[in-house]
Amino acid sequence: MEEAIGALILIILLIALIAACIALYFLPTIIAVKNNHSSKSTIILINIFLGWTFAGWVATFVWALDGSTYQRNG
């Protein structure tokens, strides 16, 4: 019984770790969408295709934080 509980805890921790890694990978996308960045489509595409490289992830992260947002008219 203790082995089953230990295995269940391990599975839950593994799922939480995977979810955290996915959230970290897409952090530039999340920031760009949340802030309605004017280049969010490009940031999303670069994050998806080049985010696995450290340089691609850092570039999209910095770009997402630069503060360029769409302005509402009226």
Side-chain angles (χ1 to χ4, degrees):
M1 183 68 171
E2 291 180 19
E3 286 183 19
I5 293 173
L8 181 61
I9 290 172
L10 183 63
I11 291 170
I12 291 170
L13 289 175
L14 185 60
I15 291 170
L17 179 65
I18 291 170
C21 288
I22 291 170
L24 181 64
Y25 182 86
F26 287 108
L27 185 60
T29 295
I30 294 166
I31 292 169
V33 170
K34 184 177 182 295
N35 293 335
N36 197 24
H37 196 282
S38 58
S39 301
K40 68 181 169 189
S41 299
T42 308
I43 291 171
I44 292 168
L45 289 174
I46 292 173
N47 188 207
I48 290 171
F49 293 111
L50 294 176
W52 60 272
T53 66
F54 181 73
W57 188 89
V58 169
T60 55
F61 182 71
V62 170
W63 193 5
L65 291 175
D66 82 352
S68 300
T69 58
Y70 282 115
Q71 300 296 322
R72 289 187 180 190
N73 295 329

